[in-house]
Amino acid sequence: MIISKQQTRLCLRLSIAVAILGILFKIMHWPYPGVLLLTGTLGIAIFYSLRFSQKHPKTLLDYSKLFLLIAFLFHYKFKVFHLAYGYIFTTIMQVAFVLLISAHIREVWFLDTDADTDEIDSPSVKSKPRQRALSYLLYSLAGIGIFMGYFFKILRWEFGFINGNVLLTIGLLAAAITVLLGASSKEPQ
């Protein structure tokens, strides 16, 4: 039986919802959070892997996303259930995070300048591929910085000098610069 992309996305979203409910049950000390967390995270691993296998062609960024997801799920299991040797998965998760950021920067910064840009209709953006790459990089930096900053703060992670405060600051500054650059590019000339 072949699962369509729409069915895979639906099952992935349901798995994420179950995992979020498991987190809520764990925080509120309600019964059966472990079952919900285990079911949700296993579903995420299975259906994201299916989604990954359905995507063609795959890039280094796709592989690094999959590696980060699997590392995060193992790290999360060991952290939530207070299992021994969790520090190993913390280190693997941090390495996967650095790999994802490196792959993302590589893919965004070294965009093919002759690529067809159907999703961007502005002639000024099409004529300035470096400016487009910089805006993509800033958007990505803002999203990753804010998202991972919250994770680092909530889980009290530190990776050298990088902690939740540093990541949130970087993400919010990148978001502010992105908003300012977007506003200045729309001003009449």
Side-chain angles (χ1 to χ4, degrees), residues 90-132:
T90 300
T91 304
I92 292 171
M93 165 73 183
Q94 292 169 342
V95 168
F97 177 63
V98 170
L99 178 66
L100 174 75
I101 290 174
S102 302
H104 198 301
I105 289 171
R106 179 183 166 267
E107 189 163 307
V108 168
W109 192 252
F110 299 109
L111 285 175
D112 183 14
T113 57
D114 298 328
D116 187 23
T117 55
D118 292 335
E119 71 275 357
I120 301 174
D121 295 330
S122 170
S124 64
V125 174
K126 283 184 180 180
S127 65
K128 300 176 186 171
R130 286 290 177 205
Q131 182 180 354
R132 184 184 70 214

Side-chain angles (χ1 to χ4, degrees), residues 8-185:
T8 304
R9 273 191 228 122
L10 176 66
C11 291
L12 180 60
R13 289 179 181 182
L14 288 173
S15 298
I16 291 169
V18 169
I20 290 171
L21 285 175
I23 293 168
L24 175 64
F25 276 53
K26 180 86 171 159
I27 291 170
M28 300 301 289
H29 303 289
W30 292 342
Y32 309 111
V35 173
L36 290 171
L37 284 169
L38 195 61
T39 305
T41 53
L42 282 175
I44 291 169
I46 290 167
F47 292 111
Y48 188 82
S49 298
L50 279 173
R51 184 175 168 213
F52 173 79
S53 68
Q54 292 171 343
K55 183 175 181 183
H56 297 289
K58 296 174 183 80
T59 64
L60 177 63
L61 183 60
D62 295 322
Y63 287 104
S64 62
K65 285 179 188 177
L66 182 66
F67 179 52
L68 178 66
L69 176 75
I70 292 170
F72 175 74
L73 292 176
F74 274 104
H75 166 76
Y76 184 71
K77 292 279 190 237
F78 275 75
K79 191 85 162 174
V80 168
F81 294 116
H82 307 289
L83 300 173
Y85 306 111
Y87 64 91
I88 294 171
F89 291 104
T90 300
T91 304
I92 292 171
M93 165 73 183
Q94 292 169 342
V95 168
F97 177 63
V98 170
L99 178 66
L100 174 75
I101 290 174
S102 302
H104 198 301
I105 289 171
R106 179 183 166 267
E107 189 163 307
V108 168
W109 192 252
F110 299 109
L111 285 175
D112 183 14
T113 57
D114 298 328
D116 187 23
T117 55
D118 292 335
E119 71 275 357
I120 301 174
D121 295 330
S122 170
S124 64
V125 174
K126 283 184 180 180
S127 65
K128 300 176 186 171
R130 286 290 177 205
Q131 182 180 354
R132 184 184 70 214
L134 180 62
S135 69
Y136 284 157
L137 182 64
L138 285 172
Y139 279 124
S140 302
L141 191 60
I144 290 172
I146 292 169
F147 183 72
M148 292 308 292
Y150 284 124
F151 268 125
F152 272 62
K153 267 190 100 55
I154 290 169
L155 297 173
R156 295 184 180 96
W157 288 348
E158 289 190 20
F159 187 59
F161 69 92
I162 298 174
N163 57 30
N165 291 337
V166 171
L167 288 171
L168 278 172
T169 302
I170 291 170
L172 292 171
L173 285 174
I177 292 169
T178 302
V179 169
L180 289 174
L181 289 176
S184 68
S185 68

